[in-house]
Amino acid sequence: MNDLRADLGVNVLVFEGAKGTMVQRGGFVDIMPEQLNLIEPEFVTQIHRDYVLAGADVCSANSFGASRPKLAEFGLEDSLEVINRQAIKLSRAAGPRYVLGDIGPSGLVMEPLGKASFDELFAVFAEQASALASADPDGFMLATFTDIAEARCALLACKEVALELPVIASVALGENGRMELSGTDAACAAVILEAAGADAVSLNCSLGPDEMLPFLRQMIAATRLPVAAYPNAGIPRLDEQGATVYPSTPEDYGRFAAAAVDAGAAMVGGCCGATAPYIGAIADEISGRAVRSVEGRGFDGLVVAGPRKVTVIGGNQGDRHRGPWNQGDRHRGPLRMIGERINPTGKRELRETLAAGNFSVARDYAAAQAEAGADLLDVNVGAPGIDAPTILPRLVLALSAGCDVPLCIDTTDPAALEAALRVYPGKALINSVNGEAASMEAVLPLAKRYGAALVVLALDENGIPATPEARLKVVRKVLERAAELGIAPENLLVDSLVMAAAADASAPTTTLDAARAVRADLGLATMLGVSNVSHGLPERPALNAAFLAAAAAEGLDVGIVNPNDTVIHDTVATINAARAAGTPPDGAAARAELQTLLQRALDPNYGEQGDSTPGPLSHSSGDSTPGPLSPEAQLARAIMRGDSDGAPQLTDALVAQGWTPERLITDILTPAIQELGEGFGRGDVFLPQLMVAADAMKAATARAKTYLSAAQQEAAIRGRVVFATVKGDIHSIGKDICISLLESQGFVCDDLGVDVPTSRILDAARNADVVCLSALMTTTMPAMEAAAHAVTEELGLPVLVGGAVVTGGWAASIGAGYGANATACVTAVEHVLGLFTDSSVGEGAQATGRLTPSPPSCKLVGKEGSGAAAGGSPGDTPQPSGGCATAVSKERGEDSPGDPSAAAPGHSKDPA
């Protein structure tokens, strides 16, 4: 076996092109591409051979859709092992330097957006990876993932099955530069996948060469891993003869390859539509070149990430210098805030709701802290009556769907910690590990396995050391053990421990000296739980602020604080303004002020002498948390935050106050979801937030309807929609998202599923008001046209269509409506049913409005997810196919891009 890991990042490699395109050209349009491994093995090998002859160094096996859920669509699940093993064998027979086992999305949607659990999908990916590994590939290629949670799950599964094999993890972006399902951008995806153990990261599918290049540069800048790229040959269209046409040329690919390698790419190839001449053009430009070293790659500092946001702790502003910080450094990174409020200690309502599995209060705390500027959120569920191993992972999932801020998982329970780390779709910060042997044994391996950063507490079996030197010794011990496990120092954040000044007046000085030593001697980032210093003393906010300022003068990187406290908030803002301006802090002055305040607070006569002298201690806490909102405002906020736990209770409260269910839905619920929909259209809101809001909307609407009679409930139905993925197409994710939004706004949807014949659509539509048809592939557009004409001619009903390659112009040509995304789907349905009088149909909706688009194009085609647009390995199909269009054609590889929620922005443009 060749050593791909040694070659990656050293020599530029040429990756092969589209398999789906070649499968389609071979006339195999009614068969799962992976089945060809068994019935047409020489045909599959010839596809690889053509690319090798064109100059490809790396081939990915015809296994993209060979996971159990996708194979089951064709009744092939019992052949999983033989299909995957044969895929490696056939690719190897073509003679490439390297053969990769290709794994694509499962076609299922993970919690909290869908019903599939992490463990369920982990088992799916581990089973396929095991089958592939048994045939001795040179590595794995994870391709065309549009949900960072699923990509991370697949990566962890591959690493568990075959740690010795390198894994290239590739994601597909929409035209807005984000993964369609999770809203993750290229830089964030690189951070999360690198943390989870990827050997290289990549972009593929969905975008053409010119569209992909700027996002490729973003990914390269965010990681020190090798980076690969294999774009589509543009967004496909059908010509007058019904053939699929891609706009990019081999010359375009050659120019892209040169630019990509100049930017630092380590491997370049082609996805949907890129045939052998395209790969030949790439090879002519880059074959034999060394990977270009690019200065400044990767983030300087400790990096954590939520599914849609990267936060850098420590490091330097303005340069890439790495070394011990010193007080004269004028480029210190900003002081970060970890919000401390999601902790049930002393919070009865939070404790009781968490124990009941209700996350309404926790969501409110999260949103309020994020809005106040928190850079991370500490999440702690430790309290009597709370089952931490069950509740903590559920809470982590709930918060990650609606809140972008990265999470700091705070627990002393190893079982709860692992459960939460396992499902968190980002790079978490663990709070914490200490110098006790038991703590290091329990926590460090979990951090390594799941790719998390760590808070290191300067204590061990002997307690908290009394001197800075002794605390530093404990930190060194943890640092050494972490290094043995392969955990880099930049993933450690040291808490030198803040003790209450009321118990020991010298404690703050010891803590500050220890923090300074950690920074100066070890070069590690530092953190402190600021409010501990003032326990038991008067005027706590001012003391906390003074201590924070003194710690910042020593180079503090992170404070665990209440970001809603205006005094703390203003102090952090002042510190960061000075750091941005390069103004050195006056550490001596900051310590002197702290000592003055402490002496006054520790004076037993303080407060009894009538001292009216104004000073720092006279500051009020000024908690910036807004006062109580009206019940109707609380319900609207619950919808927008995706609080499906609290929305029904608020609905009950409003009905008790005299609100009618109809008015509640019209005046509160609908405007709230519409505001989010408008934000989604602008790109300010991402699909996960929209989906959890839809769930909250449905929960509130369902509760409101319980106050209506059966006749009133029937009258409240806004319309009946039949939704189907047309015959020959098996994608359903985009369709499912559209249905969820429609149902949240009062429509009754009859979901016919996928691969639906026209006759069944007609039967179901006899009791409907509108029909929505979904299709992802160009090859299934004729089936969509036939079904649309049948519904219009036989029943006279309006038809809306959608999918990756469906455009407004094409929809109009067949007399159907069109919409550019999931929210446009709702608008389009409202429009055709005359449910609003606004003259504009709404952004992204046209005529009657199509359904949502599908996710990024993919490679081979096959059942849902096994297909992919014409371009990469068999089955690089975009996972969430867009709105109405959630289909896949059997043209493996010809699947064009689609947005999981609906149509991806840009996919609504007519490719012609």
Short mmCIF file of all heavy atoms in Angstrom, two decimals, residues 572-595:
data_model
loop_
_atom_site.label_atom_id
_atom_site.label_comp_id
_atom_site.label_asym_id
_atom_site.label_seq_id
_atom_site.Cartn_x
_atom_site.Cartn_y
_atom_site.Cartn_z
N VAL A 572 -14.89 44.86 29.76
CA VAL A 572 -14.34 44.07 28.65
C VAL A 572 -14.19 44.94 27.41
O VAL A 572 -13.18 44.86 26.70
CB VAL A 572 -15.24 42.85 28.37
CG1 VAL A 572 -14.79 42.14 27.09
CG2 VAL A 572 -15.20 41.87 29.55
N ALA A 573 -15.19 45.77 27.14
CA ALA A 573 -15.12 46.64 25.97
C ALA A 573 -13.92 47.60 26.06
O ALA A 573 -13.22 47.84 25.06
CB ALA A 573 -16.41 47.43 25.83
N THR A 574 -13.69 48.13 27.24
CA THR A 574 -12.56 49.05 27.43
C THR A 574 -11.22 48.32 27.24
O THR A 574 -10.29 48.83 26.59
CB THR A 574 -12.62 49.66 28.84
OG1 THR A 574 -13.85 50.38 28.98
CG2 THR A 574 -11.44 50.60 29.08
N ILE A 575 -11.12 47.12 27.81
CA ILE A 575 -9.89 46.33 27.66
C ILE A 575 -9.62 46.02 26.20
O ILE A 575 -8.48 46.17 25.71
CB ILE A 575 -10.01 45.03 28.47
CG1 ILE A 575 -10.01 45.33 29.98
CG2 ILE A 575 -8.88 44.05 28.12
CD1 ILE A 575 -10.44 44.17 30.85
N ASN A 576 -10.65 45.62 25.48
CA ASN A 576 -10.46 45.24 24.09
C ASN A 576 -10.18 46.43 23.19
O ASN A 576 -9.45 46.31 22.20
CB ASN A 576 -11.66 44.44 23.59
CG ASN A 576 -11.65 43.03 24.15
OD1 ASN A 576 -10.61 42.50 24.52
ND2 ASN A 576 -12.82 42.41 24.22
N ALA A 577 -10.73 47.57 23.53
CA ALA A 577 -10.41 48.77 22.76
C ALA A 577 -8.93 49.12 22.91
O ALA A 577 -8.25 49.48 21.95
CB ALA A 577 -11.29 49.94 23.21
N ALA A 578 -8.41 48.97 24.13
CA ALA A 578 -7.00 49.26 24.37
C ALA A 578 -6.12 48.25 23.65
O ALA A 578 -5.08 48.61 23.06
CB ALA A 578 -6.72 49.24 25.87
N ARG A 579 -6.51 46.98 23.67
CA ARG A 579 -5.71 45.96 22.98
C ARG A 579 -5.72 46.20 21.47
O ARG A 579 -4.70 46.05 20.81
CB ARG A 579 -6.26 44.56 23.30
CG ARG A 579 -5.93 44.12 24.73
CD ARG A 579 -6.35 42.68 25.00
NE ARG A 579 -5.90 42.23 26.31
CZ ARG A 579 -6.10 41.02 26.80
NH1 ARG A 579 -6.75 40.11 26.09
NH2 ARG A 579 -5.65 40.70 28.01
N ALA A 580 -6.88 46.55 20.94
CA ALA A 580 -6.95 46.80 19.49
C ALA A 580 -6.09 47.99 19.10
O ALA A 580 -5.51 48.03 18.01
CB ALA A 580 -8.40 47.04 19.08
N ALA A 581 -6.00 48.98 20.01
CA ALA A 581 -5.20 50.17 19.73
C ALA A 581 -3.71 49.94 20.00
O ALA A 581 -2.88 50.80 19.73
CB ALA A 581 -5.70 51.35 20.57
N GLY A 582 -3.37 48.78 20.58
CA GLY A 582 -1.97 48.50 20.89
C GLY A 582 -1.47 49.27 22.09
O GLY A 582 -0.29 49.54 22.22
N THR A 583 -2.39 49.63 22.99
CA THR A 583 -2.01 50.40 24.18
C THR A 583 -1.63 49.45 25.32
O THR A 583 -2.48 48.69 25.80
CB THR A 583 -3.17 51.28 24.66
OG1 THR A 583 -3.59 52.12 23.59
CG2 THR A 583 -2.76 52.13 25.85
N PRO A 584 -0.38 49.42 25.76
CA PRO A 584 0.03 48.49 26.83
C PRO A 584 -0.73 48.79 28.12
O PRO A 584 -0.88 49.95 28.52
CB PRO A 584 1.53 48.77 26.99
CG PRO A 584 1.94 49.45 25.73
CD PRO A 584 0.74 50.23 25.29
N PRO A 585 -1.20 47.74 28.80
CA PRO A 585 -1.91 47.97 30.07
C PRO A 585 -0.93 48.33 31.17
O PRO A 585 0.24 47.91 31.14
CB PRO A 585 -2.56 46.61 30.34
CG PRO A 585 -1.66 45.62 29.66
CD PRO A 585 -1.16 46.32 28.43
N ASP A 586 -1.39 49.10 32.13
CA ASP A 586 -0.57 49.45 33.30
C ASP A 586 -0.92 48.46 34.40
O ASP A 586 -1.87 48.66 35.16
CB ASP A 586 -0.86 50.88 33.73
CG ASP A 586 0.10 51.35 34.83
OD1 ASP A 586 0.65 50.49 35.52
OD2 ASP A 586 0.26 52.57 34.99
N GLY A 587 -0.17 47.37 34.46
CA GLY A 587 -0.47 46.32 35.42
C GLY A 587 -0.38 46.78 36.85
O GLY A 587 -1.19 46.40 37.70
N ALA A 588 0.63 47.59 37.15
CA ALA A 588 0.80 48.06 38.53
C ALA A 588 -0.39 48.90 38.96
O ALA A 588 -0.90 48.75 40.09
CB ALA A 588 2.10 48.85 38.64
N ALA A 589 -0.86 49.78 38.09
CA ALA A 589 -2.00 50.63 38.44
C ALA A 589 -3.26 49.79 38.62
O ALA A 589 -4.06 50.05 39.54
CB ALA A 589 -2.21 51.67 37.35
N ALA A 590 -3.45 48.79 37.77
CA ALA A 590 -4.64 47.95 37.87
C ALA A 590 -4.63 47.17 39.18
O ALA A 590 -5.66 47.04 39.86
CB ALA A 590 -4.71 47.00 36.68
N ARG A 591 -3.46 46.65 39.56
CA ARG A 591 -3.38 45.91 40.83
C ARG A 591 -3.60 46.85 42.02
O ARG A 591 -4.23 46.46 43.01
CB ARG A 591 -2.02 45.23 40.95
CG ARG A 591 -1.84 44.03 40.04
CD ARG A 591 -0.75 43.14 40.57
NE ARG A 591 -0.48 42.01 39.68
CZ ARG A 591 0.05 40.86 40.10
NH1 ARG A 591 0.36 40.70 41.38
NH2 ARG A 591 0.29 39.89 39.25
N ALA A 592 -3.08 48.05 41.92
CA ALA A 592 -3.25 49.00 43.03
C ALA A 592 -4.71 49.34 43.23
O ALA A 592 -5.21 49.41 44.37
CB ALA A 592 -2.44 50.27 42.75
N GLU A 593 -5.43 49.55 42.14
CA GLU A 593 -6.85 49.85 42.28
C GLU A 593 -7.60 48.68 42.88
O GLU A 593 -8.47 48.85 43.74
CB GLU A 593 -7.45 50.20 40.91
CG GLU A 593 -8.94 50.55 41.01
CD GLU A 593 -9.54 50.98 39.68
OE1 GLU A 593 -8.81 50.98 38.68
OE2 GLU A 593 -10.75 51.30 39.66
N LEU A 594 -7.26 47.46 42.43
CA LEU A 594 -7.91 46.27 42.98
C LEU A 594 -7.66 46.18 44.48
O LEU A 594 -8.59 45.90 45.26
CB LEU A 594 -7.38 45.02 42.28
CG LEU A 594 -7.83 43.67 42.86
CD1 LEU A 594 -9.34 43.51 42.77
CD2 LEU A 594 -7.13 42.51 42.15
N GLN A 595 -6.43 46.42 44.91
CA GLN A 595 -6.12 46.33 46.33
C GLN A 595 -6.88 47.37 47.15
O GLN A 595 -7.36 47.09 48.26
CB GLN A 595 -4.60 46.51 46.55
CG GLN A 595 -3.77 45.32 46.11
CD GLN A 595 -4.19 44.03 46.80
OE1 GLN A 595 -4.42 44.00 48.01
NE2 GLN A 595 -4.33 42.95 46.01
#
